């Protein structure tokens, strides 16, 4: 077969306005237009390439630091509007094995909010060598949706015969977009002088359900449109990860030893 080639182009840019209440506190508004070039699916040689993806996003936010850096806080709200969103899907058609390819979802949207805060609660309460306790948390809320997206697939009917069926994904979530996420860290550096330094640390990661395809995690469907896979066949139920580590550092900082455990609660 001969070679294929295509060229895509689009202007991109960012417009941001910032208002500073003080040197340490500011609010901002930002508009962004983004672009991702098209794509050739290697397994669909006779098909035209996937169209380029475009996104328009608006974000408003607030960030600040108070009490000489003891408390930092930031928050934002964002809205993304996609045109020809590129999404990976598995095609599982009669007479051939599952194949991963990219398709265009004509319209999709994402909106949500993020907050992050950092607290140094012992900064002015204890001597400097013992005041390095840092508490940090980040929380996210996300709502994603295919506004317009369908796929023509071959399904098996009565007697094993295959026929074409249009599957509509409108209203489903975008892949890898959990509704809520939380991450948190507690780290305390203890300077022991000539004995070096000890740094215990705890990390938490929590997320709600995640789907890895546009079917909300159920994969394909039968001739009646009912999913034939169990829930989360192409997804991950919500989970929490608890990680812990403790670090020892020599006084000169030339070497350190770290003991760690991930998912310590299994």
């Amino acid at each position: 077969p001969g070679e294929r080639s295509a060229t895509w182009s689009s202007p991109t840019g960012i417009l941001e306005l910032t208002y500073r209440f003080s040197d340490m506190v500011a609010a901002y508004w930002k508009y962004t237009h983004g672009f991702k070039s098209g794509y050739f699916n290697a397994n669909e040689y006779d098909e035209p390439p996937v169209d380029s993806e475009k996104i328009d996003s608006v974000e408003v936010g607030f960030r600040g630091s108070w009490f000489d850096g003891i408390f930092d806080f930031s928050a934002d709200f964002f809205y993304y509007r996609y045109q020809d969103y590129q999404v990976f899907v598995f095609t599982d058609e009669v007479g051939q094995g599952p194949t991963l390819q990219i398709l265009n979802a004509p319209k999709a949207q994402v909106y949500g909010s993020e907050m992050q805060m950092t607290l140094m609660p012992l900064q002015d309460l204890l001597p400097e060598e013992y005041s390095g306790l840092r508490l940090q948390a980040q929380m996210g809320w996300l709502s994603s949706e295919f506004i317009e997206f369908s796929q023509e697939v071959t399904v098996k009917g009565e007697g094993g015969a295959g026929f074409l069926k249009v599957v509509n994904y409108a209203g489903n979530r975008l892949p890898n977009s959990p509704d809520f996420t939380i991450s948190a860290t507690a780290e305390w550096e203890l300077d022991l002088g000539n004995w070096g330094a000890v740094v215990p640390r705890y990390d938490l990661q929590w997320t709600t359900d995640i789907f890895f395809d546009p079917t909300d995690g159920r994969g394909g469907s039968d001739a009646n449109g009912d999913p034939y896979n169990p829930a989360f066949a192409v997804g991950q139920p919500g989970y929490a990860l608890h990680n812990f580590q403790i670090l020892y550092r020599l006084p000169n900082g030339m070497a350190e030893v770290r003991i760690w455990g991930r998912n310590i609660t299994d």
Side-chain angles (χ1 to χ4, degrees):
E3 296 182 356
R4 294 187 294 171
S5 65
T7 302
W8 295 271
S9 62
S10 175
T12 61
I14 299 174
L15 175 63
E16 182 171 0
L17 303 175
T18 301
Y19 180 80
R20 300 188 181 278
F21 300 94
S22 68
D23 291 341
M24 304 302 293
V25 181
Y28 66 92
W29 173 91
K30 181 167 65 174
Y31 165 77
T32 304
H33 177 75
F35 161 81
K36 183 193 293 185
S37 65
Y39 182 89
F40 284 102
N41 284 304
N43 59 309
E44 299 286 349
Y45 184 80
D46 296 330
E47 297 293 329
V50 175
D51 291 333
S52 59
E53 174 185 297
K54 297 180 177 66
I55 178 176
D56 292 285
S57 69
V58 177
E59 178 181 339
V60 294
F62 174 86
R63 53 179 177 260
S65 180
W66 295 268
F67 311 114
D68 294 327
I70 292 179
F71 180 64
D72 296 341
F73 179 80
S74 64
D76 63 62
F77 179 84
F78 54 86
Y79 176 78
Y80 299 161
R81 182 80 171 196
Y82 290 95
Q83 180 180 344
D84 292 321
Y85 176 77
Q86 295 177 4
V87 55
F88 280 100
V89 297
F90 275 102
T91 59
D92 187 8
E93 300 184 356
V94 175
Q96 67 182 44
T99 305
L100 184 63
Q101 62 177 296
I102 292 180
L103 297 179
N104 284 122
K107 295 180 181 180
Q109 68 177 11
V110 176
Y111 58 88
S113 179
E114 291 181 336
M115 291 185 293
Q116 180 173 322
M117 52 187 172
T118 302
L119 178 65
M120 303 285 291
L122 304 180
Q123 183 167 296
D124 294 332
L125 299 179
L126 294 179
E128 182 177 353
E129 57 268 26
Y130 305 122
S131 64
L133 175 62
R134 177 187 297 270
L135 305 177
Q136 191 170 44
Q138 182 171 335
M139 294 159 281
W141 162 65
L142 195 66
S143 178
S144 66
E145 179 185 16
F146 289 108
I147 299 175
E148 181 183 338
F149 184 31
S150 61
Q151 180 187 8
E152 190 177 72
V153 298
T154 303
V155 299
K156 186 181 295 185
E158 296 182 3
F163 66 94
L164 291 177
K165 179 180 178 62
V166 176
V167 179
N168 186 17
Y169 302 125
N172 289 2
R173 277 195 268 173
L174 273 62
N176 301 302
S177 55
D179 288 335
F180 297 96
T181 57
I182 293 177
S183 62
T185 299
E187 183 178 73
W188 195 355
E189 181 167 355
L190 301 169
D191 188 349
L192 305 180
N194 293 333
W195 294 93
V198 175
V199 186
R201 173 171 174 151
Y202 164 76
D203 293 282
L204 166 68
Q205 297 177 9
W206 175 82
T207 179
T208 54
D209 302 339
I210 304 173
F211 302 128
F212 303 137
D213 73 344
T215 68
D216 279 352
R218 299 303 290 266
S221 58
D222 60 21
N224 297 320
D226 299 321
Y228 50 70
N229 291 322
F232 300 107
V234 195
Q236 168 68 56
Y239 64 91
L241 287 176
H242 302 271
N243 307 321
F244 178 79
Q245 68 176 17
I246 185 167
L247 177 146
Y248 172 74
R249 184 184 301 116
L250 291 177
N252 56 15
M254 298 297 293
E256 61 184 32
V257 177
R258 189 189 311 262
I259 300 174
W260 56 269
R262 295 182 60 190
N263 192 20
I264 58 178
T265 61
D266 196 21

